[in-house]
Amino acid sequence: MKRKLSRFFVSLALGVMSLTASASVPREEYPRPQFERTDWVNLNGDWTYEFDFGKSGMDRRLYKSEGFKDKITVPFCPESRLSGVAYVDFIPAMWYHRKIQIPSEWQGRDVMLNFGGVDYFSAVYIDGQLVGRHWGGSDSFGHDITKFVSDGKVHDLVVRVEDDVRSGDQAKGKQSGNFYSQGCDYTRTTGIWQTVWMEPVDHAGLSSAYIVPDLDHKRFVIEPSFRNLENGQKVEAVVRDGGKVVSRATEKASRQVKLELPIKNVKTWSPESPFLYDVELTVYDADGKAIDKVSSYSGMRKIHWEGDRLYLNNEPYFLRLVLDQGFYPEGIWTAPDDASLKCDIEMSMAAGFNGARLHQKVFEERFHYWADKLGYLTWGETASWGANTNKIEAARNFIPEWESIVIRDRNHPSIVAWTPFNETWERPGDSEQAKQHDRFVKDVYTLTSHLDYRPINDTSGNFHVITDLWTVHNYEQNPDKLAEYFVIKDGRYPQLDPNKEISYGGQPFFIDEYGGIKWVDGAQFADNSWGYGDSPRTKEEFYDRLERLTDVILAVPYMSGYCYTQLTDVEQEQNGIYNYDRTKKFDMDRIKKIFSKVPKGFK
C-alpha cells in the first residue's frame, strides 16, 4: 500500500527576501499578530537543503556551508508537496541554508532571528558560528544574532535539525512512528514548518506582554517584560476602541511593573459578539524617545468554573466543540496560506460548532488570530503523544516546551482551556513507573496554573491526576448504549479506569471525544481508511445516528459540553464532517441544525 497524495495542489511561486510582504513569498503575513512590529524581513521562500541520514553533517562541517544542491520551499516541511520535496520516509537529520542580509536601516538595534516552529531539535549557524540551539517541535523561539552579523553584509545562515519520533523522549502528536500512515497517525513533519523571520529590536525593548482581561473590575491588566532595563525607562499602554483611545497608562519600567487600564463602557468578547480592543505598547528611554512599539489586541471576556459548570462572561456556557487536528493535504502541519486557517474556522461554524478542541498539535498564532476575530472558542493542546509520561527525559523535554507554548498563546481570548496531555495510555498501573506518570502530569498542571488563569484539562480522556475539567472519550455508536454509559452508578460518574485515575470531583463534565462516524465521500483515501464503528449504509442513516448520539449527550444533566470527532478527514481517518480537501460531504443545513442545539439553562 502506498500513501496517496492530496487531491489538489496549490502552486506557489518562490520568492526572494524583501522588506515588504510580497505575493511571491509563501505565508507572507506577519506570524505574531498579538506582538507585531512594523519592521521585519520574511525569510520564507527558496532555501537549499541536504538530508543527513547518517547524522554525519557535523563531521563534514556542513555548518560552514555556502549552499546545498537541492531546493526546498520554507516554511513547508520536506514531507509536504508544498515544500517541493515530498519525501515521506524518516528523516533523522537535515540541513538548511540561505543567504541573509541585514538592512542598513536597522543599524543601532539588535537583530532577532525568529522561528515559528522547527521539529524537533535545531541548531543555528551564521557563517559557520553557532548562534544557538533549541529543543521542542511545537513552540516558537528566537535567537539574538546581533554579534554575528554586520549591516549590509551577506551572511550564510545554516540550520541543522534532528527528529526522532520513535524515541519516546519527544512529543510528536499524530506523526506516524511507522513508515505508513495508520490508525490515528499520519504523515510526519520534520524541520522548519512555520515562518522564519528577522526583526530589529532595541536593546531595552519589549520581550513579551501578558494581557489579562478583568471583566468584573472592568479593566485590562498588562504585565510587560523587557529584554533589558535602563535608567529612566518608561512603558506606556494605550487601549483603543476603533480609533478612539478609551484607556491609557504609563509606568516606570521594571520587572514588577503592571499597567492597569480601566474601561468605562465595556464591550465584551464572545462567540455572539467577538469585539476586540486594539492595544499598543510603547517603551520610552530617559529622554522620552520611543525606542520600541508593539501592536496587539485583546478581548474583554471572563472564563471560569464554579461547581460543575463552565462560565463565559459570568453565564453558564455549553461548549459545542469539534476535534480539529490541523492537517492539510498539501502542507501537512502547515496551512498553505492564511486564508485556509480562516476557512477552517468558518467551515466549523457553518456546521453549528461554537469552537474546537485543537488536537495533538500546537496551532500557529495566525489560527488563534482568526479565532479571536470570528468568535471561536478553543482548547489549547500540544502534540503530547510520543513523549512517554513514564520517562524522566520526556518530562525534561516536555515541560519547558509546554511553558513556552502557554506563554506565547495565553493572550488569545478565544482560548478558554488548556489540555497538555491526551490519553496517557502508557500509565502502567500501581507501580514505580505509574508514580512517574502521575508526577509528570501533576507538575505540568501546577506549572500551567501558575502561568495562566484558564481551567486545565490535565489529560483528555485518561488518566486524570489533578484536573479542573473532567473529560471522557466514548465512541459508542449505539445511542441507547451511550445513554447507559452516562448513568451514575453507586455514586460513580463515568471514567475509563478507577484503578488508574482519581475519581470525579464535581468539576464541569465533558465528553471531549465522541462520534467519529465513518463516511467516505467518493473513493477511499487509502486502503486502510477507517472510522469508528460500522459505517452507515445511507446518508439518512448517518444523519439519524449523528442526531441521536448528540441528543443523548445533550440530555445528560451534568454535561457541560461535547467535542465531536472530527472536522475533516485526515488521510486514512475518514470520519470528518468534511473531506480532507475541505469539500463538503453532507447537507450542511442538516448538520448545523444538529450541532446548534443547546441544553436548557445554558447559553
Side-chain angles (χ1 to χ4, degrees), residues 346-363:
E346 291 174 330
M347 289 193 316
S348 176
M349 297 172 76
F353 300 107
N354 61 14
R357 179 179 161 215
L358 307 179
H359 184 51
Q360 281 302 286
K361 176 190 168 185
V362 177
F363 281 53

mmCIF file of all heavy atoms in Angstrom, residues 346-363:
data_model
loop_
_atom_site.group_PDB
_atom_site.id
_atom_site.type_symbol
_atom_site.label_atom_id
_atom_site.label_comp_id
_atom_site.label_asym_id
_atom_site.label_seq_id
_atom_site.Cartn_x
_atom_site.Cartn_y
_atom_site.Cartn_z
ATOM 1 N N GLU A 346 -14.431 28.972 9.658
ATOM 2 C CA GLU A 346 -15.733 29.274 9.053
ATOM 3 C C GLU A 346 -16.486 28.000 8.699
ATOM 4 O O GLU A 346 -17.720 27.939 8.849
ATOM 5 C CB GLU A 346 -15.535 30.150 7.822
ATOM 6 C CG GLU A 346 -15.063 31.558 8.160
ATOM 7 C CD GLU A 346 -14.729 32.388 6.937
ATOM 8 O OE1 GLU A 346 -14.308 31.805 5.916
ATOM 9 O OE2 GLU A 346 -14.880 33.626 7.000
ATOM 10 N N MET A 347 -15.778 26.968 8.248
ATOM 11 C CA MET A 347 -16.429 25.687 7.960
ATOM 12 C C MET A 347 -17.014 25.090 9.225
ATOM 13 O O MET A 347 -18.123 24.548 9.222
ATOM 14 C CB MET A 347 -15.425 24.705 7.348
ATOM 15 C CG MET A 347 -14.995 25.031 5.938
ATOM 16 S SD MET A 347 -14.117 23.656 5.138
ATOM 17 C CE MET A 347 -13.015 23.113 6.427
ATOM 18 N N SER A 348 -16.261 25.159 10.315
ATOM 19 C CA SER A 348 -16.736 24.621 11.587
ATOM 20 C C SER A 348 -17.978 25.360 12.067
ATOM 21 O O SER A 348 -18.960 24.737 12.499
ATOM 22 C CB SER A 348 -15.622 24.714 12.635
ATOM 23 O OG SER A 348 -16.084 24.282 13.898
ATOM 24 N N MET A 349 -17.948 26.672 11.993
ATOM 25 C CA MET A 349 -19.101 27.460 12.423
ATOM 26 C C MET A 349 -20.312 27.199 11.536
ATOM 27 O O MET A 349 -21.452 27.175 12.019
ATOM 28 C CB MET A 349 -18.726 28.938 12.430
ATOM 29 C CG MET A 349 -17.625 29.268 13.430
ATOM 30 S SD MET A 349 -16.990 30.963 13.312
ATOM 31 C CE MET A 349 -18.319 31.883 14.080
ATOM 32 N N ALA A 350 -20.061 26.964 10.250
ATOM 33 C CA ALA A 350 -21.154 26.637 9.330
ATOM 34 C C ALA A 350 -21.795 25.298 9.665
ATOM 35 O O ALA A 350 -22.942 25.040 9.316
ATOM 36 C CB ALA A 350 -20.645 26.623 7.888
ATOM 37 N N ALA A 351 -21.049 24.438 10.368
ATOM 38 C CA ALA A 351 -21.575 23.139 10.789
ATOM 39 C C ALA A 351 -22.275 23.209 12.136
ATOM 40 O O ALA A 351 -22.777 22.185 12.618
ATOM 41 C CB ALA A 351 -20.440 22.116 10.849
ATOM 42 N N GLY A 352 -22.290 24.380 12.771
ATOM 43 C CA GLY A 352 -23.015 24.552 14.024
ATOM 44 C C GLY A 352 -22.157 24.549 15.272
ATOM 45 O O GLY A 352 -22.681 24.716 16.377
ATOM 46 N N PHE A 353 -20.851 24.360 15.150
ATOM 47 C CA PHE A 353 -19.975 24.336 16.322
ATOM 48 C C PHE A 353 -19.641 25.759 16.772
ATOM 49 O O PHE A 353 -19.562 26.677 15.954
ATOM 50 C CB PHE A 353 -18.688 23.582 16.002
ATOM 51 C CG PHE A 353 -18.897 22.156 15.582
ATOM 52 C CD1 PHE A 353 -18.729 21.781 14.255
ATOM 53 C CD2 PHE A 353 -19.281 21.191 16.499
ATOM 54 C CE1 PHE A 353 -18.922 20.473 13.849
ATOM 55 C CE2 PHE A 353 -19.478 19.873 16.103
ATOM 56 C CZ PHE A 353 -19.306 19.509 14.785
ATOM 57 N N ASN A 354 -19.437 25.923 18.085
ATOM 58 C CA ASN A 354 -19.003 27.232 18.574
ATOM 59 C C ASN A 354 -17.528 27.238 18.955
ATOM 60 O O ASN A 354 -17.036 28.213 19.521
ATOM 61 C CB ASN A 354 -19.869 27.718 19.748
ATOM 62 C CG ASN A 354 -19.826 26.793 20.954
ATOM 63 O OD1 ASN A 354 -18.983 25.916 21.060
ATOM 64 N ND2 ASN A 354 -20.766 26.985 21.879
ATOM 65 N N GLY A 355 -16.828 26.154 18.641
ATOM 66 C CA GLY A 355 -15.405 26.108 18.934
ATOM 67 C C GLY A 355 -14.796 24.773 18.577
ATOM 68 O O GLY A 355 -15.437 23.922 17.953
ATOM 69 N N ALA A 356 -13.544 24.591 18.991
ATOM 70 C CA ALA A 356 -12.819 23.375 18.638
ATOM 71 C C ALA A 356 -11.856 22.988 19.746
ATOM 72 O O ALA A 356 -11.305 23.845 20.447
ATOM 73 C CB ALA A 356 -12.045 23.553 17.333
ATOM 74 N N ARG A 357 -11.677 21.700 19.877
ATOM 75 C CA ARG A 357 -10.545 21.194 20.641
ATOM 76 C C ARG A 357 -9.410 21.006 19.636
ATOM 77 O O ARG A 357 -9.514 20.203 18.705
ATOM 78 C CB ARG A 357 -10.907 19.858 21.297
ATOM 79 C CG ARG A 357 -9.744 19.269 22.084
ATOM 80 C CD ARG A 357 -10.102 17.952 22.755
ATOM 81 N NE ARG A 357 -8.860 17.254 23.076
ATOM 82 C CZ ARG A 357 -8.692 15.940 23.043
ATOM 83 N NH1 ARG A 357 -9.707 15.151 22.711
ATOM 84 N NH2 ARG A 357 -7.536 15.405 23.346
ATOM 85 N N LEU A 358 -8.354 21.792 19.788
ATOM 86 C CA LEU A 358 -7.227 21.760 18.858
ATOM 87 C C LEU A 358 -6.349 20.591 19.267
ATOM 88 O O LEU A 358 -5.613 20.664 20.250
ATOM 89 C CB LEU A 358 -6.484 23.091 18.895
ATOM 90 C CG LEU A 358 -7.392 24.313 18.675
ATOM 91 C CD1 LEU A 358 -6.582 25.588 18.756
ATOM 92 C CD2 LEU A 358 -8.137 24.212 17.356
ATOM 93 N N HIS A 359 -6.399 19.528 18.478
ATOM 94 C CA HIS A 359 -5.999 18.204 18.946
ATOM 95 C C HIS A 359 -4.601 17.796 18.528
ATOM 96 O O HIS A 359 -4.283 17.753 17.337
ATOM 97 C CB HIS A 359 -7.011 17.193 18.419
ATOM 98 C CG HIS A 359 -6.797 15.790 18.891
ATOM 99 N ND1 HIS A 359 -6.629 15.459 20.214
ATOM 100 C CD2 HIS A 359 -6.736 14.613 18.219
ATOM 101 C CE1 HIS A 359 -6.475 14.151 20.338
ATOM 102 N NE2 HIS A 359 -6.526 13.625 19.134
ATOM 103 N N GLN A 360 -3.749 17.498 19.527
ATOM 104 C CA GLN A 360 -2.430 16.905 19.322
ATOM 105 C C GLN A 360 -1.557 17.706 18.351
ATOM 106 O O GLN A 360 -0.811 17.147 17.543
ATOM 107 C CB GLN A 360 -2.560 15.450 18.881
ATOM 108 C CG GLN A 360 -2.859 14.506 20.026
ATOM 109 C CD GLN A 360 -1.802 14.568 21.114
ATOM 110 O OE1 GLN A 360 -0.695 14.067 20.954
ATOM 111 N NE2 GLN A 360 -2.130 15.193 22.241
ATOM 112 N N LYS A 361 -1.703 19.009 18.451
ATOM 113 C CA LYS A 361 -0.882 19.912 17.642
ATOM 114 C C LYS A 361 -0.975 21.297 18.255
ATOM 115 O O LYS A 361 -2.044 21.685 18.744
ATOM 116 C CB LYS A 361 -1.387 19.945 16.192
ATOM 117 C CG LYS A 361 -0.651 20.937 15.304
ATOM 118 C CD LYS A 361 -1.349 21.114 13.958
ATOM 119 C CE LYS A 361 -0.781 22.307 13.217
ATOM 120 N NZ LYS A 361 -1.506 22.579 11.959
ATOM 121 N N VAL A 362 0.113 22.030 18.238
ATOM 122 C CA VAL A 362 0.086 23.432 18.636
ATOM 123 C C VAL A 362 -0.190 24.254 17.392
ATOM 124 O O VAL A 362 0.635 24.303 16.468
ATOM 125 C CB VAL A 362 1.414 23.853 19.292
ATOM 126 C CG1 VAL A 362 1.390 25.341 19.628
ATOM 127 C CG2 VAL A 362 1.653 23.031 20.551
ATOM 128 N N PHE A 363 -1.359 24.866 17.358
ATOM 129 C CA PHE A 363 -1.753 25.630 16.178
ATOM 130 C C PHE A 363 -1.005 26.959 16.157
ATOM 131 O O PHE A 363 -0.706 27.550 17.186
ATOM 132 C CB PHE A 363 -3.264 25.878 16.185
ATOM 133 C CG PHE A 363 -4.065 24.695 15.734
ATOM 134 C CD1 PHE A 363 -3.888 23.447 16.315
ATOM 135 C CD2 PHE A 363 -5.006 24.811 14.725
ATOM 136 C CE1 PHE A 363 -4.622 22.344 15.903
ATOM 137 C CE2 PHE A 363 -5.751 23.731 14.302
ATOM 138 C CZ PHE A 363 -5.548 22.486 14.891
#
